[in-house]
Amino acid sequence: MRGIKAGNFLMYRNSQVCVICKITSNGNNTPTCITGIDSNRQIHQGPAGDWSPIMGKHEELLKFSDGMLGEILHKRGAKR
């Protein structure tokens, strides 16, 4: 999975859509460990093999976006 960057969306263990926030790599730009955050603000971290593209995962991506919107609305409600 070359070319992934922080801010990309990936699936963690085919169950959680995450925004990538950190990538560690060995010397040749091959990711060795990827860290991402899901819509519930839970951190997921694992080797590159635990991550996969979100291509064709429309339902999971919709759940992620609904979760993010829910978090934003919840925070706004708590501030009032």
Side-chain angles (χ1 to χ4, degrees), residues 10-79:
L10 291 177
M11 290 286 295
Y12 179 69
R13 295 187 177 166
N14 289 323
S15 63
Q16 295 291 325
V17 173
C18 296
V19 175
I20 303 308
C21 54
K22 182 179 178 184
I23 302 167
T24 56
S25 64
N26 55 18
N28 62 2
N29 291 333
T30 301
T32 55
C33 186
I34 299 173
T35 305
I37 187 167
D38 67 16
S39 62
N40 295 320
R41 296 183 294 164
Q42 293 181 352
I43 302 292
H44 301 278
Q45 184 175 18
D50 286 353
W51 298 86
S52 60
I54 60 168
M55 303 276 257
K57 310 270 185 172
H58 301 291
E59 291 296 318
E60 289 85 353
L61 195 53
L62 285 174
K63 287 179 196 174
F64 177 83
S65 62
D66 288 347
M68 289 298 288
L69 180 59
E71 282 290 316
I72 291 167
L73 294 176
H74 177 74
K75 281 191 170 206
R76 284 188 160 219
K79 289 183 179 180

